[in-house]
Amino acid sequence: VSTLKNDLGVKRVLCWHALHGYWRGVSPFLANTITHQPVGNVMLDRNTSSTPPINTERSAVSPSDSIPEHSEHLLRVEPIISWDSVSLFGVGLLSSRADLRTFYQRLHSPLKDAGVDGVKIDVQSGVAAVGGGSGGGPHLADLYTETMENSVKQHFASTSTAVMNQNNVDNEAINCINCMSHSTENIYRYKHTSIIRASDDFYPSRPYSHTVHLINVAYNSLFLREVCLPDWDMFQSLHPSASLHAAARAIGGCPVYVSDKPGNHDPELLKKLVFKDGSVPRASQSGVPTRDCLFSNVGEDGVTALKVFNWNSYKNRDLGKVVGSGVIAAFNVQGVMWDFERRKNHVQDPSKPILPVDATIRPRDVESFNNGENAAKGPFIAYGCQSRTFR
């Protein structure tokens, strides 16, 4: 970390870990160092819940090797999880609040001491799936999420002191990205962390995944933005779909980062996403679909463009109030959609090119122009980003 920061000029470093440590949780050896008493692994049968009740406040609780019970819908989407290592051999869990506090302290303190600025915490919904016999999925999600957030707030806050808003609510920024956490057991537990991945991964080697990726993050953000700031994931600037992803990040109001290999960059594309000092001009809200395409099949109907809108607010000193401007992006994402029967992205006809689609851009596509103080009847000035022209 010190080499990255001191020699290479990297300003911020985040590390990855799963909510319960790693993909299969904690090992009996690690658990013994936390609970300080002999550990006996308990393998739960898929159809039983034989683990005794858990006292969540007292320490010295042995971890259990628990088998997840996946939902029918999840198995329909990802049948491979029925025979992955977690499903076959179980996951090591700590079910005591005191043990979890020790676990996260020992996990996060060395990272902070090494100069790490934050964490991306993955596999969060997986913890709730192994809650049978340990108080249930919602109980485990609550136990882990609350303890994790308290530790992250302690170790990876962006500011040294809490920032209180006018309603006496703590607005302190926490450097944490929540991931694989779309189950309600996780989403409704967040109190301090505020960023959540809104989609599946960016897959550079799957050419048919990129338009579906954009569709997913845009529509998922309709719900997720009410709880957290949706994160649209990283991308590669030299990838064939880089311009699509870059435009999506520009309209998304989300963090912007790339996973380029060192030296493999498209500087001209990246310059469009940042100011001269490298800071990112994020929109004020989260990008979501416009009303006229909200219930359209933008990936398969052959005629509808995906339109995403956002809002840029700023303080007008002459008027003495906050005003703003709307931003709209239109994408042709036709030709590929997730197929639940084939359990993969389905390309309608790979032998035929994707035909153009028409999109009408109107001021009322931006919801802020339709209500409240920002409601306006015009006149409007439209600026085209690609053509660099005013209308």
Side-chain angles (χ1 to χ4, degrees), residues 114-135:
V116 171
D117 302 287
V119 284
K120 172 187 174 183
I121 302 183
D122 215 337
V123 207
Q124 296 194 25
S125 295
V127 171
V130 292
S134 298

Side-chain angles (χ1 to χ4, degrees), residues 66-268:
S66 302
I67 298 294
E69 297 180 12
H70 301 297
S71 68
E72 180 181 348
H73 180 78
L74 185 57
L75 290 172
R76 187 182 177 196
V77 175
E78 294 280 1
I80 192 175
I81 62 176
S82 293
W83 57 85
D84 64 9
S85 60
V86 171
S87 294
L88 292 176
F89 305 110
V91 111
L93 297 176
L94 293 168
S95 301
S96 148
R97 198 177 302 274
D99 288 345
L100 280 172
R101 281 196 291 264
T102 302
F103 168 70
Y104 284 120
Q105 177 69 24
R106 294 187 181 182
L107 179 61
H108 291 154
S109 289
L111 295 179
K112 181 181 180 180
D113 293 342
V116 171
D117 302 287
V119 284
K120 172 187 174 183
I121 302 183
D122 215 337
V123 207
Q124 296 194 25
S125 295
V127 171
V130 292
S134 298
H139 165 72
L140 267 189
D142 179 34
L143 192 66
Y144 268 85
T145 304
E146 180 180 26
T147 314
M148 173 274 290
E149 283 201 312
N150 288 337
S151 179
V152 169
K153 182 180 180 183
Q154 175 187 350
H155 293 92
F156 304 117
S158 290
T159 53
S160 58
T161 57
V163 180
M164 310 301 288
N165 68 9
Q166 59 183 356
N167 296 320
N168 203 35
V169 175
D170 185 355
N171 276 347
E172 185 177 26
I174 309 296
N175 293 325
C176 176
I177 302 172
N178 296 302
C179 193
M180 286 182 65
S181 54
H182 284 194
S183 66
T184 53
E185 294 97 333
N186 297 100
I187 292 176
Y188 293 153
R189 303 295 184 191
Y190 298 136
K191 298 178 182 177
H192 304 298
T193 57
S194 58
I195 301 178
I196 185 171
R197 268 283 297 281
S199 69
D200 201 352
D201 296 341
F202 165 79
Y203 294 108
S205 60
R206 300 182 187 179
Y208 299 120
S209 68
H210 303 290
T211 54
V212 176
H213 178 103
L214 176 51
I215 294 170
N216 289 343
V217 291
Y219 285 91
N220 285 349
S221 294
L222 274 169
F223 169 66
L224 295 176
R225 66 172 178 165
E226 303 299 332
V227 182
C228 291
L229 173 65
D231 174 1
W232 292 33
D233 199 20
M234 61 192 73
F235 70 99
Q236 295 175 351
S237 66
L238 276 181
H239 192 272
S241 297
S243 59
L244 173 74
H245 283 282
R249 304 313 184 275
I251 193 71
C254 54
V256 178
Y257 37 74
V258 294
S259 54
D260 291 345
K261 295 179 181 179
N264 291 347
H265 314 288
D266 183 344
E268 295 306 314

Side-chain angles (χ1 to χ4, degrees), residues 300-318:
E300 279 189 314
D301 67 12
V303 296
T304 308
L306 170 62
K307 291 160 53 181
V308 179
F309 78 92
N310 212 319
W311 180 255
N312 290 318
S313 61
Y314 62 94
K315 180 70 174 292
N316 187 309
R317 295 180 179 178
D318 294 332

